[in-house]
Amino acid sequence: MIRVTVWNEFKHEREYEGIRAIYPDGIHMCIAKFLGTQPDLEIRTATFDEPEHGLTQTVLDNTDVLVFWSHALQDEFSDEVAERVQQAVLSGMGLVALHSAHFSKIMKRLMGTSMTLKWKHSQTEKLWCIGPTHPIAQGVPSMIELPEEEMYGEYFDIPKPDDVVFAGWFSGGQVFRSGCTFTRGLGKIFYFQPGHEEYPIYHNPDIQRIITNAVRFCAPAVSARQTLECEAL
Amino acid sequence: MIRVTVWNEFKHEREYEGIRAIYPDGIHMCIAKFLGTQPDLEIRTATFDEPEHGLTQTVLDNTDVLVFWSHALQDEFSDEVAERVQQAVLSGMGLVALHSAHFSKIMKRLMGTSMTLKWKHSQTEKLWCIGPTHPIAQGVPSMIELPEEEMYGEYFDIPKPDDVVFAGWFSGGQVFRSGCTFTRGLGKIFYFQPGHEEYPIYHNPDIQRIITNAVRFCAPAVSARQTLECEAL
Amino acid sequence: MIRVTVWNEFKHEREYEGIRAIYPDGIHMCIAKFLGTQPDLEIRTATFDEPEHGLTQTVLDNTDVLVFWSHALQDEFSDEVAERVQQAVLSGMGLVALHSAHFSKIMKRLMGTSMTLKWKHSQTEKLWCIGPTHPIAQGVPSMIELPEEEMYGEYFDIPKPDDVVFAGWFSGGQVFRSGCTFTRGLGKIFYFQPGHEEYPIYHNPDIQRIITNAVRFCAPAVSARQTLECEAL
Amino acid sequence: MIRVTVWNEFKHEREYEGIRAIYPDGIHMCIAKFLGTQPDLEIRTATFDEPEHGLTQTVLDNTDVLVFWSHALQDEFSDEVAERVQQAVLSGMGLVALHSAHFSKIMKRLMGTSMTLKWKHSQTEKLWCIGPTHPIAQGVPSMIELPEEEMYGEYFDIPKPDDVVFAGWFSGGQVFRSGCTFTRGLGKIFYFQPGHEEYPIYHNPDIQRIITNAVRFCAPAVSARQTLECEAL
């Protein structure tokens, strides 16, 4: 059983009617719902407003994979919790960082770079699979068309990924490394660009398949967390 | 002094008036001309119709970097010469493989994969730099627009490149890993997608800059060739 | 069910009494035996002396992962069969290449390099895991000591691996990239250095665990083979 | 002209007579001296005790490559200065991090991992070149023997390097990725393990050659620093 915590900022969905219409219970509940149909996944959720953002040490100790969506409150996110999540990843917890979470404190700490990119609202995206043998690409078509999505464009300031599984084409002329894996310490990370809150991206079955695959890929071989330390012989 | 041999099949330019109008003396002479303006480069050319395709052992022994364009005669290319070029690369000769040369016997031998891709004539390409610190990207704008180019699209069946320096966006909806480096043995390789014979791609100053940078990047540190062999201790 | 074909040259074991004492039925039968204990693996074997080396198109079409050990007869190995195996890998068959199989025609074709290295008999090897999150490393100790093994030393002329999972330390002073993954076309490859025929390497349970993990890692997601071809749009 | 700042903690050399005997003016002065013989390098030094550790914004703005040695005072190193150095690297400054600087705040911020390893005093190291085509390896022998060095052993918790140029063999049985390149933002980084303060490592001409090559490799193409920012189109 893979224990998944789906974390969402849960701000836009409560502020804007148009977004609430797409995700009435929040992005986290939409993701929790489709992940919850999988018999090997055990799902809980957490949001920004909970104490310690719902990411207490106990929660992280009992999470195999954290799915993370954030945007407007990234500066307000607790440094202490960001540090705690980083340590959990280094000791083996998987992390699936979605869309604007590229700019979260958690991703910046784990990647070490500025995580900057170009962006623009409302473009068509075609998401091409350029890593067909990767576990995250299994059962996914060679191209997924998203009629409307926020454009994220290069140069995307990330360290070289372990693998670039998906590359995004945008109608306005940009390209993007849209699905990237990284390893940090004992933790596996998947960053996935699709998922702007104004479009029903997470209702797309192919996108759901990718996120489900990513959760399984990022799950640690054993749930027991291991803190790496320097060792004198 | 970097000794460069620019090789071209030199078939289309003699057959089709429209192509001859773009490259009156052949693609090789166009490339030789702009490379020849560089004081550190010494240029010779060779073409398919010459004995041994102009790639004798002596020529290869005196070549630091081979720039290679091929297309229609790839099946007719001598297996023996392809093997000889492969060995030259493994012993340190640089290789800049252009456009349809992805499907040359030389590239197939060095890469080991099918080198297949999707293709379509006449699209607009935007070539994005996704490796701004790479030597091949120096002095090159973040995006180069080619009003008309042959589309090459993913999935491109190559081994994982050392670096993907450029990614191509095509107006028809495709993306491509358009500028990739590889190391094989002691030889450095740059594969570069732009350069369909029907469009004046190699007259573009930014494309010329990339190829010039690539020649310098692929040049071996020392010209002396070294054949690697198994060694019993 | 993963369909595994274990291929062995099966020459040394019939020629030398000392080697026969270690592998009375051949290296292939030793490997087939420990793989055969796994409920998800279905094992057959093949050897050099069989027609077409036992690697007919039908056998390959029904093989998900080929485990391959070769040494003395590598030059005599059929070019046609080597080509056939290469194509099977590119279309999705997994390959676990053991020890001296680095110098097989199959590996040379898939890698494109000289595959040369340094070697010496009878040294102690310590095999360190430097990729602890890799599926092939699961359940394997951080270091495996092999009291006697053939030294393989750098410089090992391979393309840059996808991952170096194990690094070998040898008592004579050499190091080696002993466990490397590669992707070629739709096929996943694991090269694993331990396994000189004069020492009982494949009787070691940790080595058996690594090979078992590698078979599962290299198995394609779907058994249906897919031949990649260029495609005009 | 490449503007190099050699930074050293400069604590051990003033505390221990044995270390002072090896580096009478400090490790920084030894490195500054051999780098200073190169006509294309302009050298300054800085140490921990200077205001802001000698790494003011003005110094960093005028530094193309920072060579950095630290050990005992890593916890006391200013967070503000570490942040400033990180930003300088992301905007293009090269970094050559030596030996125990793997555990500096600067490297931890840039890498995102624990940077932990195994260690033990006084072993023989053999440093093997496993990236012979890399610019940092030019003119360097295939193996460098260091009669006495501190052992650093795997598992070394780093992100996957761009290239592993050198691998260390240690007489006690360990191996290590001893020379690794990384890119972070617009900055190039070389981490190099040799250099324990109790042994005259930086007096070794081959080690000096590697560090000199690394400084040239890590130097930015243009000295002008560029801060990457998110950009709305």
Side-chain angles (χ1 to χ4, degrees):
Chain A
M1 206 67 170
I2 301 172
R3 301 165 301 169
V4 183
T5 299
V6 180
W7 193 92
N8 180 24
E9 200 173 88
F10 198 29
K11 176 174 158 50
H12 298 311
E13 302 95 323
R14 293 187 290 176
E15 286 179 332
Y16 300 101
E17 197 177 334
I19 299 172
R20 188 164 53 243
I22 301 169
Y23 298 114
D25 304 312
I27 282 175
H28 55 300
M29 292 310 290
C30 171
I31 294 175
K33 195 173 165 193
F34 70 73
L35 289 178
T37 64
Q38 303 297 312
D40 57 333
L41 306 183
E42 181 183 296
I43 318 294
R44 80 170 85 194
T45 63
T47 59
F48 187 93
D49 283 348
E50 298 174 34
E52 304 182 48
H53 306 319
L55 297 172
T56 61
Q57 191 62 53
T58 306
V59 167
L60 294 180
D61 286 347
N62 289 284
T63 297
D64 294 317
V65 181
L66 177 66
V67 179
F68 192 89
W69 196 102
S70 64
H71 182 223
L73 300 175
Q74 297 188 131
D75 285 348
E76 284 84 350
F77 196 91
S78 155
D79 285 318
E80 190 187 336
V81 177
E83 158 81 12
R84 188 190 295 159
V85 172
Q86 178 184 18
Q87 293 307 320
V89 171
L90 297 186
S91 68
M93 184 182 75
L95 174 64
V96 178
L98 295 173
H99 191 58
S100 37
H102 73 93
F103 220 57
S104 62
K105 286 180 179 173
I106 292 167
M107 282 298 278
K108 286 181 179 173
R109 277 171 172 274
L110 285 162
M111 300 289 110
T113 57
S114 73
M115 303 303 287
T116 53
L117 45 70
K118 295 195 183 70
W119 59 276
K120 187 174 190 174
H121 281 189
S122 190
Q123 300 206 352
T124 295
E125 175 170 10
K126 298 191 184 196
L127 189 69
W128 289 94
C129 177
I130 64 171
T133 63
H134 199 282
I136 296 180
Q138 299 319 303
V140 175
S142 60
M143 191 270 283
I144 299 170
E145 181 157 349
L146 302 170
E148 207 172 10
E149 173 54 301
E150 185 178 27
M151 180 280 287
Y152 272 15
E154 299 281 347
Y155 176 66
F156 184 24
D157 182 26
I158 48 172
K160 191 191 289 193
D162 291 355
D163 282 296
V164 181
V165 186
F166 301 102
W169 174 100
F170 291 91
S171 49
Q174 270 79 20
V175 295
F176 197 67
R177 288 169 286 175
S178 291
C180 298
T181 61
F182 302 90
T183 308
R184 289 296 179 272
L186 301 176
K188 289 192 240 181
I189 300 168
F190 180 58
Y191 170 72
F192 192 46
Q193 160 264 316
H196 184 63
E197 67 275 7
E198 296 179 287
Y199 316 118
I201 304 294
Y202 298 126
H203 292 284
N204 180 310
D206 291 323
I207 297 294
Q208 294 180 357
R209 177 67 184 256
I210 290 172
I211 294 172
T212 307
N213 285 347
V215 164
R216 291 196 182 106
F217 174 76
C218 293
V222 289
S223 289
R225 216 50 64 75
Q226 185 191 344
T227 300
L228 294 169
E229 299 192 17
C230 281
E231 187 184 344
L233 300 187
Chain B
M1 205 68 171
I2 300 172
R3 300 164 304 168
V4 183
T5 298
V6 180
W7 193 93
N8 180 23
E9 203 175 87
F10 197 29
K11 175 175 158 51
H12 298 310
E13 302 95 324
R14 294 186 290 176
E15 286 180 331
Y16 300 101
E17 198 177 334
I19 298 172
R20 189 165 50 244
I22 300 168
Y23 298 114
D25 304 311
I27 281 175
H28 54 300
M29 292 309 292
C30 171
I31 293 174
K33 195 172 164 193
F34 70 73
L35 289 178
T37 63
Q38 302 297 312
D40 58 332
L41 306 183
E42 181 183 296
I43 317 295
R44 79 171 84 194
T45 64
T47 59
F48 187 93
D49 284 347
E50 297 174 34
E52 304 181 49
H53 306 320
L55 297 172
T56 61
Q57 191 62 54
T58 305
V59 166
L60 294 179
D61 286 347
N62 290 284
T63 297
D64 294 317
V65 180
L66 177 65
V67 179
F68 192 89
W69 195 102
S70 64
H71 182 224
L73 300 174
Q74 296 188 132
D75 285 349
E76 284 84 349
F77 196 91
S78 156
D79 285 319
E80 190 188 337
V81 177
E83 158 80 13
R84 187 189 296 158
V85 172
Q86 179 184 17
Q87 293 307 320
V89 171
L90 297 185
S91 67
M93 185 182 75
L95 174 64
V96 177
L98 295 173
H99 191 60
S100 38
H102 74 93
F103 220 57
S104 62
K105 287 181 178 172
I106 292 168
M107 281 299 278
K108 285 181 180 173
R109 279 171 171 272
L110 285 163
M111 300 290 109
T113 57
S114 74
M115 303 303 287
T116 53
L117 45 70
K118 295 195 183 71
W119 59 276
K120 186 174 191 175
H121 281 190
S122 190
Q123 299 204 353
T124 296
E125 176 171 10
K126 298 190 185 197
L127 189 70
W128 290 94
C129 177
I130 64 171
T133 63
H134 199 283
I136 296 181
Q138 299 319 304
V140 175
S142 61
M143 191 271 281
I144 299 171
E145 181 157 348
L146 302 170
E148 207 172 9
E149 174 52 302
E150 185 177 28
M151 180 279 287
Y152 273 14
E154 299 282 347
Y155 175 66
F156 184 24
D157 182 25
I158 47 172
K160 191 191 288 192
D162 291 355
D163 282 295
V164 181
V165 187
F166 302 102
W169 173 101
F170 291 91
S171 48
Q174 270 78 21
V175 295
F176 197 68
R177 287 168 287 174
S178 292
C180 298
T181 61
F182 303 91
T183 307
R184 290 296 179 272
L186 301 176
K188 288 190 241 182
I189 300 168
F190 181 59
Y191 170 72
F192 191 48
Q193 160 265 316
H196 184 62
E197 66 276 7
E198 298 179 284
Y199 316 118
I201 306 293
Y202 297 126
H203 292 285
N204 180 310
D206 291 323
I207 297 294
Q208 294 179 356
R209 177 68 184 255
I210 290 172
I211 294 173
T212 306
N213 285 347
V215 165
R216 291 197 182 105
F217 174 75
C218 293
V222 289
S223 289
R225 215 51 63 74
Q226 184 191 344
T227 301
L228 294 168
E229 300 191 17
C230 281
E231 187 184 344
L233 300 187
Chain C
M1 205 67 169
I2 301 172
R3 301 164 302 169
V4 183
T5 299
V6 180
W7 193 92
N8 179 23
E9 200 174 88
F10 197 28
K11 176 174 159 50
H12 298 311
E13 301 94 323
R14 293 187 291 176
E15 286 181 333
Y16 299 101
E17 197 176 336
I19 298 170
R20 189 164 50 243
I22 300 168
Y23 298 114
D25 304 310
I27 282 174
H28 54 301
M29 293 309 291
C30 171
I31 293 173
K33 195 172 165 194
F34 70 74
L35 289 178
T37 64
Q38 302 297 312
D40 57 334
L41 306 184
E42 181 183 295
I43 317 293
R44 79 171 85 193
T45 64
T47 60
F48 186 94
D49 284 347
E50 298 174 35
E52 304 182 47
H53 306 320
L55 297 172
T56 62
Q57 190 62 54
T58 305
V59 167
L60 294 180
D61 286 347
N62 290 282
T63 297
D64 294 318
V65 181
L66 177 65
V67 179
F68 193 89
W69 194 102
S70 65
H71 182 223
L73 300 173
Q74 298 189 130
D75 285 348
E76 284 85 350
F77 196 91
S78 156
D79 285 317
E80 190 187 337
V81 177
E83 158 80 12
R84 187 188 297 158
V85 173
Q86 179 185 16
Q87 293 307 321
V89 171
L90 297 186
S91 66
M93 184 181 76
L95 174 64
V96 177
L98 296 173
H99 191 58
S100 38
H102 73 94
F103 220 57
S104 62
K105 286 180 179 173
I106 292 168
M107 281 299 278
K108 285 181 179 173
R109 277 170 171 274
L110 285 162
M111 300 289 110
T113 58
S114 74
M115 303 302 289
T116 52
L117 46 69
K118 296 196 183 69
W119 58 276
K120 188 175 190 175
H121 281 190
S122 191
Q123 299 204 353
T124 296
E125 175 171 9
K126 297 189 184 197
L127 189 70
W128 289 94
C129 177
I130 65 171
T133 63
H134 199 282
I136 297 181
Q138 299 320 304
V140 174
S142 60
M143 193 271 282
I144 300 170
E145 180 157 349
L146 302 171
E148 207 171 9
E149 175 51 302
E150 184 178 27
M151 180 280 287
Y152 273 14
E154 299 282 348
Y155 177 67
F156 183 24
D157 182 25
I158 47 172
K160 191 191 288 193
D162 291 355
D163 282 296
V164 181
V165 186
F166 301 103
W169 173 101
F170 291 92
S171 49
Q174 270 79 19
V175 294
F176 197 67
R177 286 168 288 174
S178 291
C180 298
T181 61
F182 303 91
T183 307
R184 289 296 179 271
L186 301 175
K188 289 192 240 180
I189 301 169
F190 182 59
Y191 170 72
F192 192 46
Q193 158 266 315
H196 184 63
E197 67 275 9
E198 297 179 287
Y199 317 117
I201 304 294
Y202 298 125
H203 292 284
N204 180 310
D206 290 323
I207 298 294
Q208 295 179 356
R209 176 69 184 255
I210 290 171
I211 294 172
T212 307
N213 286 347
V215 164
R216 291 195 183 107
F217 173 76
C218 292
V222 289
S223 288
R225 215 52 63 74
Q226 184 192 346
T227 301
L228 294 169
E229 300 193 16
C230 281
E231 186 184 344
L233 299 188
Chain D
M1 206 66 171
I2 301 172
R3 300 164 303 169
V4 183
T5 299
V6 180
W7 193 92
N8 179 24
E9 201 173 88
F10 198 30
K11 176 174 156 55
H12 298 312
E13 302 96 323
R14 293 186 290 177
E15 286 180 333
Y16 299 102
E17 197 176 335
I19 298 171
R20 189 163 51 241
I22 300 168
Y23 298 114
D25 304 310
I27 281 174
H28 54 301
M29 292 310 291
C30 171
I31 293 174
K33 195 172 164 194
F34 70 74
L35 290 178
T37 64
Q38 303 297 311
D40 57 332
L41 307 183
E42 182 184 295
I43 318 295
R44 78 171 85 194
T45 63
T47 59
F48 187 93
D49 284 347
E50 298 174 34
E52 304 181 48
H53 306 320
L55 297 172
T56 61
Q57 191 62 53
T58 306
V59 166
L60 294 180
D61 286 346
N62 289 283
T63 297
D64 294 316
V65 181
L66 176 66
V67 179
F68 192 89
W69 196 102
S70 65
H71 182 224
L73 300 173
Q74 298 188 132
D75 285 348
E76 284 85 350
F77 195 91
S78 156
D79 285 316
E80 189 188 337
V81 176
E83 158 80 12
R84 187 189 296 159
V85 172
Q86 179 184 15
Q87 293 308 321
V89 171
L90 297 186
S91 66
M93 185 182 75
L95 173 65
V96 177
L98 295 173
H99 191 58
S100 37
H102 73 94
F103 220 57
S104 61
K105 287 180 179 174
I106 293 168
M107 282 299 278
K108 285 181 179 173
R109 277 171 172 272
L110 285 162
M111 299 290 109
T113 58
S114 74
M115 303 302 289
T116 53
L117 46 71
K118 295 195 184 73
W119 59 275
K120 187 174 190 176
H121 281 190
S122 191
Q123 300 204 352
T124 296
E125 176 171 10
K126 298 189 185 197
L127 189 70
W128 289 94
C129 177
I130 65 171
T133 64
H134 199 283
I136 296 180
Q138 299 319 304
V140 174
S142 60
M143 191 270 281
I144 300 170
E145 181 157 349
L146 301 171
E148 206 171 11
E149 174 52 301
E150 184 177 25
M151 180 281 285
Y152 274 15
E154 299 281 349
Y155 177 65
F156 183 23
D157 181 25
I158 47 172
K160 192 191 288 192
D162 292 354
D163 282 296
V164 181
V165 187
F166 301 102
W169 174 101
F170 291 91
S171 49
Q174 270 79 18
V175 293
F176 197 67
R177 288 169 287 175
S178 291
C180 298
T181 61
F182 303 90
T183 307
R184 288 296 179 272
L186 301 175
K188 289 192 239 181
I189 300 168
F190 181 59
Y191 170 72
F192 192 47
Q193 159 265 316
H196 184 63
E197 67 275 8
E198 297 179 288
Y199 317 118
I201 304 294
Y202 297 126
H203 292 283
N204 181 310
D206 290 323
I207 297 295
Q208 294 180 355
R209 177 67 184 254
I210 290 171
I211 294 172
T212 307
N213 285 347
V215 165
R216 290 197 183 106
F217 174 76
C218 292
V222 288
S223 290
R225 218 50 67 70
Q226 185 192 345
T227 300
L228 295 168
E229 300 192 17
C230 281
E231 186 183 345
L233 298 187

